[in-house]
Amino acid sequence: MENFANGKWEVIDGRFYNEAEQKSGAPVVVIDEEMANRFQLKVGDRFGIYFYDADATKEVTVIGIYRKNAEKVNLNLLTNMYTPYRFLRNVLTESGINQITIGSATFYLKDVSFVDRFIEQGKEKAGPKFQFTANDVMLKRLLAPFENIRSFADLAIKAVLIAGAAVMMLLMAIITRERKKEIGILRSLGFKKSTVMLQFVTEALAVELMALVIGLAVGQVASDAASQQLLNQGMKVNEQMQHSMQGFDLSGQVIEAVYPSLGISTYLLVVWMALLITSAGTLTSCSMIVRYEPIKILASEK
């Protein structure tokens, strides 16, 4: 519920009803501090609620008391009690009222990534009589810069893989050609082709390791600076949008959108890309070494 989600209201004694109590329709209520003080109620007390439509009185147990940290929204104490919907439905059903209509219901999700899945499952369970929509226009506007950066990053990764592999293949081809005499001497001394290729692969991996250490260090500093700048920009937009969102704070989604990209998955991706690029270069070098004949190499050098 929005007032609890954005921190305007908070439970100061007891708790809210749990999932088991919702499913069973337990006769429990959460009341506000004003009502508790006026009627001297505390957690564990019981009192009766009269249902006008059902013409029935049901006893309920107070399991929680909450406080309004913002301005008073409604002075009518009865509107500020919360109880499981199934409990209300059971009361009406017992009185012969089977036609129960729900005008609308609002769900608040902790993680925006579950919105589409929630809507899909809601439609499957509720059927065509309910219409599910996501009020995520503001959130999409807030996260748009991060989505654009993500798309650009995906394109950049593909470009780096293609360009890096091409450059690495060219460099290894040049290095192998320049060390042609060395390869001929090693082969004439009895070294197998696999041993010579392993030497080139080891050298390439050593260079790759040094490049990774330097690149990751520089990338970490640059990404921290860029992420902080994006975060500050997103938080400013969030502050401007809170009024239109009735105070609902999206800052958690902004932070979630920025900083997961700096986790272990990013480093693993960089290492994987480096291995692919290095592999392309070493394969080029190995293919040239396989074709070289030591006698022809040494003869050409004379």
Side-chain angles (χ1 to χ4, degrees), residues 209-219:
L209 180 60
M210 290 187 292
L212 271 176
V213 173
I214 298 173
L216 288 175
V218 175

Side-chain angles (χ1 to χ4, degrees), residues 2 5-7 107-113 115 135-144 146 230-231 233-258:
E2 183 175 340
N6 60 25
F107 298 88
Y108 295 91
L109 305 182
K110 292 182 180 180
D111 191 340
V112 68
S113 62
V115 170
N135 187 18
D136 57 353
V137 176
M138 295 295 182
L139 182 60
K140 288 182 178 179
R141 175 185 168 191
L142 182 65
L143 299 181
F146 306 107
L230 286 171
L231 181 62
Q233 179 182 354
M235 297 297 284
K236 289 181 181 179
V237 176
N238 175 64
E239 293 175 359
Q240 298 173 358
M241 294 169 61
Q242 279 193 38
H243 178 70
S244 59
M245 289 289 289
Q246 299 178 347
F248 196 72
D249 191 4
L250 297 173
S251 57
Q253 299 293 347
V254 177
I255 297 175
E256 190 73 16
V258 175

Side-chain angles (χ1 to χ4, degrees), residues 22-67:
Q22 292 184 60
K23 290 183 177 180
S24 64
V28 295
V29 291
V30 180
I31 62 176
D32 68 6
E33 187 178 24
E34 297 175 4
M35 181 176 179
N37 293 336
R38 179 175 178 180
F39 296 105
Q40 297 182 350
L41 295 170
K42 60 182 182 300
V43 174
D45 287 349
R46 298 180 178 181
F47 63 92
I49 297 180
Y50 175 72
F51 294 86
Y52 178 80
D53 291 337
D55 191 22
T57 300
K58 295 293 181 180
E59 187 179 75
V60 295
T61 302
V62 179
I63 61 170
I65 299 173
Y66 68 91
R67 174 180 296 163

Side-chain angles (χ1 to χ4, degrees), residues 99 144 150 159 184 199:
Q99 186 64 32
R150 181 177 301 173
Q199 176 185 337

Side-chain angles (χ1 to χ4, degrees), residues 7 37 49 59 70 86 89 91 97-98 104 115 124 135 172 188-189 201 213 216 275 277 279 288 298:
N37 293 336
I49 297 180
E59 187 179 75
R86 194 175 294 272
R89 191 183 68 177
V91 172
I97 304 176
N98 296 320
S104 63
V115 170
E124 291 178 357
N135 187 18
M172 290 301 294
S188 65
L189 292 175
V201 172
V213 173
L216 288 175
L275 288 174
I277 294 174
S279 298
M288 294 175 65
L298 295 178

Side-chain angles (χ1 to χ4, degrees), residues 108-139:
Y108 295 91
L109 305 182
K110 292 182 180 180
D111 191 340
V112 68
S113 62
F114 290 105
V115 170
D116 294 336
R117 179 181 174 186
F118 177 81
I119 292 178
E120 181 180 352
Q121 293 184 349
K123 290 180 178 179
E124 291 178 357
K125 293 182 178 181
K129 59 183 179 181
F130 287 99
Q131 180 180 3
F132 285 82
T133 57
N135 187 18
D136 57 353
V137 176
M138 295 295 182
L139 182 60

